[in-house]
């Protein structure tokens, strides 16, 4: 069948109304979508004509679309010289039960490169609504939504036929035993408690479009939502208690993350009489967990493994393996270490780490223990049900640090819930270890003794005995304390500094450089430089200090770790203070910058007359790294050269504390428009329309910066001399000068 | 990337200097000399006379780029093989050449190569990327 596309001028008033959430046939009307930023509508027309034809719609009796050419008629409304169009898609092409043309087109164009778009980006479709026609007379055979709910094991197939909707399933609601589906009603009519639930769903969860399905099993409800993002949003809201007083609802994703299952949580009380042989719990076995907990939760803890692969994806919780590394794909320990996931660490004992006192306590009664896996659980994270691999013997001992959690044990139809709190120890042997599986549900709350307990961050230390295939205990691997690694970049800096700036570069540029926000003390330093100096801006970002350097008759070279920020250096595009400065000095074309690590500056020894290092020192996570940065600057500076160093202070204005401690993550909020193509946030969360990213900082206390300078010592016969220091507007600063080390006669 | 910057860059891996340049896109952007108080081209003159320019680096760069320089039509930018003294006869014309070569010629696309181990650092849109890979970091 041939497809025809007509280009029309837009009608005077919109021919569509927002999607009607109460209509059982929302998508059976002509649907309107808009596409923006096109080069010409002709491109789009040509593209649509080229697409394969859509499949016929089985539930629209009027559209025997296989024979009717009119069913493939698309209308495109556009205004002359306007870059956006509105497409009217007839119902036959957009029925809820067939793959809609929009979804297919989304699929086809989502890999990018549609040439009809001004900037080459993928097509963006935005649903506008459906035509405000009167509701159709329901067909004599009810649509599939009203079919009797199939048996449980047929559920996945039924849901598959509901493509492309995404569904939330709500289970275990109060007042079980109600029957809300009478044979004559459709799914939009409810009675009793479920009607109230439906109202509160709409209001509390701010649902503009949803459909509710009630199976005859009576303890659950399905919500159909337009997108996976909506599903996630609603799940999050329910987890956080948006449906009060129904706090004990449990949500989880079912079937390829397109369906969220919401059911009532079971109270730990309900299984208190279940006994599992081999399960021992000792409450408050560790009196004070703070040393251990703080060690693992410090932002500068560098021991975490990079994400390990597991079957079907990656392990999302942070883990560390001590003694022997566990491989989630092979489901066994790595017997021959091949330089795989993470760094192999022995198992620390005695004074080797702040937390090894726990290991000592365990090994005093279980000397075979030779392996420990540390797991970090953020609220909402869990671990799937499993029985520990045969690569481990028994016992399996878990020590809980920090937040409390409910662990579930299962064996066939039997269940037991265990509530673990800070300091509790749980030991598994015999049946508990080999026959019962255990797991932690991925959710934000637990139900304990009829109270809803919110989850907090938890770190668990799981001690195990690694054994050979013949069940012999494997040798104990001793821990060798590492000299604090100043060489490889710590993960906290890779994620919290480099990746952070690469993602937020545009917004950063707009909120700082474009408005000419410069540290006055630094500008004063640059204004007092001698003409014809070569000046290094270490950590130059988007180069906002370079114009001041050039203005003073000097040559500036900027270095930064973020390639994205460097690209914005001197960027033309609109009136901004920095651009004007560049234009004035005639260095407008291409300021001099290079991407480099401040610990490995690509500059010749003693080649620079001056340097600035602004807001860089607080991004280095260890003392050796801070020293190395200042050592590098000393190396590149000639004798007599001066440097201005500035870094965030713990002590803020008027004695007010802005930071909880010296190691902090400081959020930076970005408008979504600056994030196109940049992926999701680093620790990002939504804040209304803004997306929040965290950057890692080590903020300095009084005198700390000078101490780092003093630790630098001698480099190439030169050393630092402090010429001035102070506190200014929330920053500690030092002015240092490179002096020659006098040789002793 | 201007050649004055190249003159200051060394390999972050081996400290080798100068870096060899290969270039696929070169551009000439005229720029007004920064100040004219003391005489023509006094910016490069001061840098030269105060020993801030490595002469081998300049001649090396010119040699690496000579094919591309021909295409720019700014002359062949020949330089003496060693740093000239201020009283040499062609000093002013050498300064002019230096000014063009160091400040007005831009390497837009290409690579900087560490002569000791052949490691190439890419230059993208005039910005050289000298960040080492985590595996390369030793010291």
């Amino acid at each position: 069948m041939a497809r025809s596309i007509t280009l029309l001028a837009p009608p005077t008033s919109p021919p569509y109304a927002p999607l009607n959430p109460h209509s059982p046939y929302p998508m059976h009307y002509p649907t309107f979508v808009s596409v923006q930023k096109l080069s010409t509508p002709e491109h789009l027309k040509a593209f649509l004509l080229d697409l394969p034809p859509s499949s016929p719609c089985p539930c629209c009796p009027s559209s025997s679309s296989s024979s009717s050419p009119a069913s493939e008629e698309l209308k495109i409304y556009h205004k002359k010289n306007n870059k956006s169009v509105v497409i009217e898609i007839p119902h036959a092409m957009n029925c809820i039960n067939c793959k809609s043309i929009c979804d297919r087109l989304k699929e086809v164009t989502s890999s990018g490169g549609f040439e009809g778009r001004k900037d080459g980006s993928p097509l963006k479709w935005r649903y506008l609504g459906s035509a405000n026609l009167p509701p159709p007379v329901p067909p004599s055979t009810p649509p599939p939504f009203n079919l009797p709910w199939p048996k449980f094991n047929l559920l996945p197939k039924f849901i598959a036929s509901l493509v492309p909707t995404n569904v939330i399933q709500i289970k275990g609601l109060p007042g079980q035993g109600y029957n809300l589906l009478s044979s004559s009603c459709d799914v939009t009519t409810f009675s009793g408690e479920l009607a109230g639930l439906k109202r509160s769903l709409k209001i509390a969860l701010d649902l503009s479009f949803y459909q509710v399905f009630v199976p005859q099993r009576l303890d659950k409800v399905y919500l159909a939502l337009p997108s996976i993002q909506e599903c996630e949003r609603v799940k999050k809201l329910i987890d956080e208690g948006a449906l009060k007083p129904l706090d004990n609802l449990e949500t989880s994703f079912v079937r390829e993350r397109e369906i969220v299952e919401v059911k009532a949580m079971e109270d730990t009380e309900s299984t208190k009489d279940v006994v599992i042989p081999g399960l021992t719990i000792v409450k408050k076995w560790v009196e004070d967990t703070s040393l251990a907990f703080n060690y693992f939760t410090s932002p500068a803890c560098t021991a975490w493994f990079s994400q390990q692969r597991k079957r079907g994806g990656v392990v999302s919780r942070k883990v560390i393996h001590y003694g022997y590394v566990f491989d989630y794909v092979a489901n066994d320990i790595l017997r021959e270490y091949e330089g795989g996931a993470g760094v192999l660490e022995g198992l620390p004992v005695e004074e080797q780490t702040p937390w090894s006192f726990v290991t000592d306590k365990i090994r005093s009664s279980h000397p075979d223990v030779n392996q420990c896996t540390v797991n970090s659980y953020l609220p909402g994270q869990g671990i799937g049900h499993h029985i520990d691999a045969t690569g481990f013997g028994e016992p399996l001992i878990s020590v809980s640090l920090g937040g409390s959690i409910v662990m579930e044990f299962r064996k066939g139809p039997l269940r037991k819930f265990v509530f673990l709190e800070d300091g509790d120890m749980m030991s598994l042997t015999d049946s508990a270890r080999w026959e019962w599986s255990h797991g932690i549900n991925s959710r934000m709350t637990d139900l304990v003794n009829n109270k809803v307990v919110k989850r907090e961050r938890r770190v668990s230390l799981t001690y195990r005995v690694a054994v050979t295939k013949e069940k012999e205990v494997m040798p104990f691997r001793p821990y060798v304390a590492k000299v604090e690694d100043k060489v490889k970049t710590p993960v906290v800096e890779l994620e919290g500094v480099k990746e952070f700036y690469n993602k937020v570069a545009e917004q950063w540029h707009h909120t700082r450089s474009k408005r000419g926000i410069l540290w006055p003390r630094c500008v004063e330093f640059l204004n007092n430089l001698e003409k014809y100096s070569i000046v290094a801006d270490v950590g130059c970002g988007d180069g906002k200090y370079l114009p001041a350097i050039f203005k003073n008759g000097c040559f500036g070279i900027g270095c930064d770790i973020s390639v994205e920020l460097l690209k914005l250096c001197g960027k033309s595009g609109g009136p901004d203070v920095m651009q004007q400065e560049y234009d004035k000095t005639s260095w407008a074309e291409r300021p001099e910058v290079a991407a480099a690590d401040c610990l490995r500056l690509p500059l010749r020894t003693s080649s620079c007359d001056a340097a600035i290092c602004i807001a860089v020192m607080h991004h280095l996570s260890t003392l050796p790294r801070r020293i190395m940065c200042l050592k590098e600057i000393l190396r590149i500076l000639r004798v007599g050269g001066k440097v201005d160093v500035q870094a965030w202070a713990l002590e803020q204005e008027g004695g007010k504390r802005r930071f909880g401690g010296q190691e902090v993550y400081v959020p930076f909020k970005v408008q979504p428009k600056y994030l196109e193509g940049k992926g999701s946030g680093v620790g990002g969360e939504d804040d209304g329309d803004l997306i929040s990213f965290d950057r890692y900082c080590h903020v300095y206390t009084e005198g700390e910066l000078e101490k780092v300078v003093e630790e630098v010592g001698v480099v190439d016969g030169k050393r630092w001399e402090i010429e001035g220091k102070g506190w200014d507007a929330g920053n500690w600063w030092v002015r240092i000068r490179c002096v020659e080390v006098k040789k002793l006669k | 990337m201007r050649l004055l910057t190249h003159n200051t860059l060394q390999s972050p891996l081996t400290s080798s200097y100068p870096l060899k340049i290969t270039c696929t896109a070169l551009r000439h952007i005229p720029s007004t000399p920064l100040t004219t108080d003391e005489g023509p081209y006094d910016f490069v003159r001061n840098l030269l006379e105060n020993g801030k320019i490595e002469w081998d680096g300049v001649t090396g760069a010119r040699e690496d780029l000579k094919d591309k320089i021909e295409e720019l039509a700014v002359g062949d930018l020949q330089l003496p093989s060693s740093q000239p003294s201020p009283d040499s006869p062609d000093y002013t014309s050498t300064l002019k050449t230096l000014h063009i070569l160091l400040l007005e010629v831009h390497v837009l696309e290409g690579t900087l190569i560490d002569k000791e181990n052949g490691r190439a650092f890419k230059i993208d849109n005039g910005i050289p990327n000298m960040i080492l890979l985590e595996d390369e970091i030793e010291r």
Side-chain angles (χ1 to χ4, degrees):
Chain A
M1 86 192 110
R3 179 177 293 139
S4 74
I5 296 181
T6 14
L7 295 176
L8 302 164
T12 41
S13 62
Y16 52 84
L19 295 173
N20 181 352
H22 300 293
S23 162
Y25 316 105
M27 300 290 230
H28 282 241
Y29 300 127
T31 304
F32 293 80
V33 297
S34 81
V35 184
Q36 300 177 332
K37 286 201 217 161
L38 290 169
S39 306
T40 66
E42 304 296 336
H43 270 111
L44 183 62
K45 182 178 168 183
F47 174 75
L48 290 172
L49 280 170
D50 271 336
L51 274 184
S54 46
S55 25
C57 167
C59 47
C60 301
S62 55
S63 75
S64 41
S65 39
S66 46
S67 50
S68 157
S71 62
E72 284 275 330
E73 190 195 338
L74 286 176
K75 294 192 194 136
I76 301 185
Y77 298 100
H78 81 111
K79 254 196 271 200
K80 209 169 169 190
N81 298 328
N82 201 329
K83 298 300 178 202
S84 63
V85 300
V86 171
I87 309 178
E88 182 182 327
I89 304 175
H91 67 262
M93 295 174 78
N94 198 31
C95 175
I96 201 173
N97 277 328
C98 348
K99 205 63 177 153
S100 76
I101 193 172
C102 291
D103 287 339
R104 279 191 299 119
L105 289 169
K106 262 188 215 154
E107 263 172 70
V108 166
T109 59
S110 63
S111 51
F114 171 63
E115 281 152 29
R117 220 146 177 237
K118 259 170 50 175
D119 51 6
S121 55
L123 286 177
K124 246 199 254 185
W125 308 81
R126 193 163 68 88
Y127 282 106
L128 296 173
S130 59
N132 44 6
L133 301 169
V137 173
S140 47
T141 46
F145 314 129
N146 277 349
L147 290 173
W149 205 257
K151 289 195 174 51
F152 189 74
N153 58 353
L154 294 178
L155 213 55
K157 283 201 197 135
F158 180 86
I159 292 171
S161 71
L162 290 180
V163 151
T165 54
N166 295 284
V167 182
I168 283 192
Q169 172 185 306
I170 304 183
K171 279 163 58 167
L173 297 154
Q176 294 211 353
Y178 45 72
N179 182 349
L180 299 158
L181 258 193
S182 68
S183 56
S184 60
C185 75
D186 66 16
V187 294
T188 55
T189 310
F190 294 97
S191 63
E193 279 144 344
L194 210 53
L197 173 70
K198 192 186 164 220
R199 268 197 302 277
S200 43
L201 280 175
K202 183 168 192 304
I203 294 165
L205 304 179
D206 185 29
L207 299 173
S208 58
F209 168 58
Y210 67 106
Q211 275 203 290
V212 186
F213 303 95
V214 180
Q216 281 171 349
R217 265 170 57 124
L218 310 173
D219 62 346
K220 54 182 177 259
V221 166
Y222 285 84
L223 265 188
L225 294 169
S227 69
I228 187 62
Q229 286 82 10
E230 266 298 287
C231 251
E232 284 173 354
R233 181 185 76 89
V234 168
K235 178 184 188 307
K236 190 171 176 214
L237 284 172
I238 297 176
D239 282 340
E240 289 169 358
L243 290 184
K244 281 185 159 19
L246 295 174
D247 280 343
N248 55 334
L249 290 177
E250 181 187 315
T251 63
S252 55
F253 286 103
V254 172
R255 192 195 157 250
E256 292 171 349
R257 299 180 61 78
E258 284 193 328
I259 299 166
V260 175
E261 181 184 74
V262 180
K263 64 180 191 233
M265 280 191 283
E266 292 157 272
D267 196 321
T268 52
E269 274 298 275
S270 61
T271 59
K272 69 174 192 271
D273 296 325
V274 176
V275 171
I276 301 180
L279 170 65
T280 317
I281 298 190
V282 179
K283 303 293 284 178
K284 250 318 179 221
W285 188 74
V286 176
E287 289 281 325
D288 181 6
T289 59
S290 54
L291 271 179
F293 185 71
N294 291 340
Y295 176 87
F296 289 112
T297 52
S298 154
C301 176
T302 51
W304 297 109
F305 279 32
S306 41
Q307 273 193 328
Q308 285 178 273
R309 299 179 62 83
K310 69 170 185 190
R311 290 174 192 173
V314 291
V315 180
S316 52
R317 346 171 266 293
K318 291 205 297 195
V319 298
I320 311 173
H321 300 289
Y322 290 99
Y324 290 89
V325 176
F326 188 74
D327 178 6
Y328 295 90
V329 173
N331 202 35
D332 191 11
I333 52 171
L334 284 178
R335 292 181 183 276
E336 298 287 334
Y337 177 60
E338 288 154 345
V343 175
L344 179 65
E345 307 248 18
L347 184 57
V349 293
E350 290 158 17
E351 303 283 304
Q352 290 181 314
T353 54
W355 57 276
S356 35
F357 67 94
V358 183
T359 314
D360 293 337
K361 197 169 176 187
I362 300 248
R363 293 190 82 235
S364 62
S365 39
H366 302 279
D368 285 345
V369 163
N370 56 13
Q371 198 272 349
C372 175
T373 296
V374 181
N375 281 282
S376 160
Y377 292 89
L378 292 173
Q381 289 183 328
I383 184 170
H385 264 269
H386 65 283
I387 298 175
D388 275 57
T390 50
F392 296 111
E394 55 176 65
L396 211 124
I397 301 175
S398 177
V399 178
S400 199
L401 310 171
S404 54
I405 217 163
V406 167
M407 183 170 280
E408 184 186 347
F409 285 83
R410 280 188 202 160
K411 181 176 160 185
L414 301 172
R415 297 273 181 281
K416 180 163 179 69
F417 298 107
V418 163
F419 184 51
L420 295 170
E421 293 175 287
D422 179 47
D424 292 352
M425 182 271 270
M426 178 177 79
S427 159
L428 304 181
T429 56
D430 303 323
S431 189
R433 155 73 181 99
W434 299 105
E435 293 175 2
W436 288 74
S437 73
H438 55 272
I440 295 174
N441 200 301
S442 310
R443 59 191 184 208
M444 307 290 279
T445 54
D446 292 306
L447 190 61
V448 182
N449 290 354
N450 210 29
K451 269 203 308 267
V452 174
V453 178
K454 261 194 147 161
R455 292 235 184 127
E456 309 285 332
R457 181 163 187 194
R458 170 182 179 256
V459 173
S460 77
L461 307 177
T462 305
Y463 291 92
R464 297 181 276 201
V465 182
V467 297
T468 63
K469 295 214 165 41
E470 294 78 37
K471 309 295 170 209
E472 304 275 314
V473 175
M474 300 211 29
F476 177 82
R477 273 194 182 145
Y479 178 78
V480 175
K482 274 201 306 236
V483 171
E484 225 179 356
D485 197 345
K486 66 176 182 218
V487 177
K488 306 265 183 195
T489 314
V491 173
V492 69
E493 287 180 38
L494 283 176
E495 290 176 358
V497 180
K498 184 170 168 184
E499 215 179 285
F500 166 83
Y501 282 110
N502 278 337
K503 291 207 159 113
V504 307
E506 275 219 61
Q507 172 95 49
W508 189 266
H509 178 66
H510 280 262
T511 55
R512 277 144 172 78
S513 316
K514 278 206 155 185
R515 294 183 203 165
I517 299 174
L518 307 175
W519 287 110
R521 207 167 270 279
C522 183
V523 176
E524 180 219 329
F525 174 80
L526 296 173
N527 287 341
N528 286 327
L529 287 175
E530 271 174 36
K531 244 183 351 184
Y532 316 123
S533 296
I534 297 194
V535 185
D537 183 348
V538 179
C540 64
D542 54 3
K544 65 185 190 183
Y545 290 107
L546 291 175
I549 297 175
F550 292 132
K551 201 162 69 158
N552 286 293
C554 300
F555 187 80
I557 302 177
C559 291
D560 201 88
I561 194 80
S562 165
V563 173
E564 295 298 318
L565 272 177
L566 291 173
K567 284 188 198 167
L568 295 167
C569 200
K571 189 172 167 150
S572 59
D576 70 77
V577 175
M578 197 170 76
Q579 191 61 47
Q580 289 161 19
E581 289 298 308
Y582 271 123
D583 292 339
K584 274 191 248 167
T585 60
S586 82
W587 288 91
E589 296 276 359
R590 308 184 176 281
E592 295 299 296
V593 290
D597 188 338
C598 64
L599 269 61
R600 276 161 271 271
L601 292 172
L603 297 166
R604 253 193 299 122
T605 301
S606 302
S607 58
C608 299
D609 300 297
I612 54 174
C613 183
I614 309 294
V616 171
M617 291 290 284
H618 59 233
H619 282 315
L620 297 170
S621 58
T622 68
L623 181 61
R625 288 175 70 78
R626 294 167 206 145
I627 295 171
M628 198 159 160
C629 177
L630 291 181
K631 275 196 158 140
E632 270 294 277
I633 302 180
L634 183 57
R635 180 185 67 78
I636 64 168
L637 222 62
R638 61 154 180 82
V639 170
K642 296 190 188 175
V643 182
D644 186 36
V645 183
Q646 217 159 304
W648 236 336
L650 177 64
E651 300 85 346
Q652 291 293 309
E653 212 96 50
K656 267 195 306 209
R657 280 214 147 193
R658 180 183 168 174
F659 305 112
Q662 283 189 269
E663 305 290 321
V664 284
Y665 280 114
V666 183
F668 179 72
K669 298 207 162 53
V670 182
Q671 294 171 52
K673 70 179 181 187
Y674 291 116
L675 288 174
E676 285 185 15
K678 292 267 162 66
S680 61
V682 173
E685 295 162 10
D686 280 349
D687 174 3
D689 287 329
L690 299 174
I691 310 220
S692 179
F693 292 80
D694 286 338
R695 63 192 183 281
Y696 164 76
C697 290
H698 164 90
V699 297
Y700 288 79
T701 54
E702 185 165 7
E704 191 182 345
L705 210 47
E706 291 96 274
K707 280 215 211 76
V708 181
V709 170
E710 280 155 28
E711 294 277 333
V712 168
V714 175
V715 174
D716 289 338
K718 306 175 277 192
R719 63 169 179 82
W720 288 125
E721 199 168 79
I722 298 177
E723 288 204 320
K725 57 188 168 141
W727 182 97
D728 186 26
N731 280 259
W732 287 112
W733 60 268
V734 280
R735 292 267 171 84
I736 47 182
R737 191 161 63 96
C738 169
V739 298
E740 201 172 0
V741 173
K742 295 275 186 284
K743 290 191 177 59
L744 292 173
K745 293 267 192 307
Chain B
M1 182 195 71
R2 291 178 174 83
L3 294 183
L4 181 53
T5 303
H6 165 260
N7 201 270
T8 324
L9 290 178
Q10 70 173 28
S11 164
L13 202 52
T14 60
S15 306
S16 134
Y17 177 87
L19 294 163
K20 183 171 152 75
I21 315 179
T22 66
C23 175
T24 51
L26 199 68
R27 198 162 133 195
H28 174 250
I29 303 170
S31 81
T32 329
L34 275 178
T35 56
T36 52
D37 303 354
E38 289 152 37
Y41 310 115
D42 62 346
F43 185 76
V44 284
R45 185 167 62 80
N46 268 283
L47 287 181
L48 191 63
E49 288 170 13
N50 290 324
K52 295 185 189 165
I53 298 179
E54 281 289 316
W55 197 256
D56 291 337
V58 185
T59 49
R62 197 221 152 266
E63 190 56 34
D64 291 337
L65 294 173
K66 63 172 189 248
D67 297 329
K68 287 281 173 192
I69 286 173
E70 271 173 35
E71 295 171 25
L72 290 179
V74 282
D76 62 358
L77 300 180
Q78 285 280 22
L79 287 170
S81 52
S82 60
Q83 177 163 343
S85 65
D87 40 318
S88 59
D90 299 316
Y91 195 56
T92 312
S93 72
T94 307
L95 285 182
K96 179 178 177 188
T97 307
L98 259 190
H99 175 89
I100 297 174
L101 196 58
L102 291 180
L103 300 178
E104 294 185 354
V105 165
H106 295 254
V107 178
L108 295 184
E109 306 284 336
T111 58
L112 292 171
I113 301 176
D114 181 337
K115 289 185 183 161
E116 264 177 55
N117 58 14
R119 163 71 153 102
F121 298 96
K122 200 153 171 277
I123 304 173
D124 211 338
N125 197 24
I127 304 175
N129 190 333
M130 322 286 292
I131 300 177
L132 297 177
L133 304 171
E134 290 296 312
D135 297 336
E136 286 177 305
I137 298 171
E138 280 166 29
R139 60 181 176 91

